[in-house]
Amino acid sequence: MRRTEDDLNHLRHLLDEAAATADSPEMAAIAEIDTRFHQAVVSASGNTLLTEVYDVLSTAVTEQIGGTLWPSATAAEHSLLHRRLVEAISAQDEVGARYCATEIVELTETGTERQK
């Protein structure tokens, strides 16, 4: 993992922003912060191509998340997994980071509902 201390500080700042808006009824604001968080995770990898691809996909990701209903238990687990992901990145624990990322995707797919 190629993350820097600046990357870690930025990720932690975004986690704090996400926590501050977690109770907001504005899913668009929550989705925007979540997308910026994931862009920062990808950027911290140091993989320029992956960063460029994610930047292109980020609009679709934001729209997908913004149209999602998050039960409170799912939102709490989502937040916890994001914190664990940053901890794994900080510890340069590649296996742990992959596990957290996989769990985040799975939770998003199974623990939420699309708005109608």
Side-chain angles (χ1 to χ4, degrees), residues 28-85:
I30 293 169
E32 188 268 332
I33 292 170
D34 190 64
T35 299
R36 285 192 294 132
F37 173 82
H38 289 280
Q39 284 174 311
V41 168
V42 172
S43 179
S45 75
N47 184 326
T48 306
L49 178 60
L50 185 59
T51 299
E52 290 176 12
V53 169
Y54 195 85
D55 286 347
V56 170
L57 295 175
S58 65
T59 301
V61 171
T62 302
E63 289 173 4
Q64 176 73 21
I65 294 169
T68 302
L69 298 173
W70 292 83
S72 60
T74 301
E77 174 129 4
H78 189 256
S79 177
L80 177 64
L81 286 168
H82 281 70
R83 291 212 175 267
R84 287 183 178 162
L85 175 59

Side-chain angles (χ1 to χ4, degrees), residues 56 90 100:
V56 170
S90 177
C100 289

Side-chain angles (χ1 to χ4, degrees), residues 27 31 60-71 108-116:
M27 282 306 299
V61 171
T62 302
E63 289 173 4
Q64 176 73 21
I65 294 169
T68 302
L69 298 173
W70 292 83
T108 302
E109 290 176 349
T110 62
T112 60
E113 296 178 24
R114 295 288 298 150
Q115 290 181 348
K116 296 177 177 149

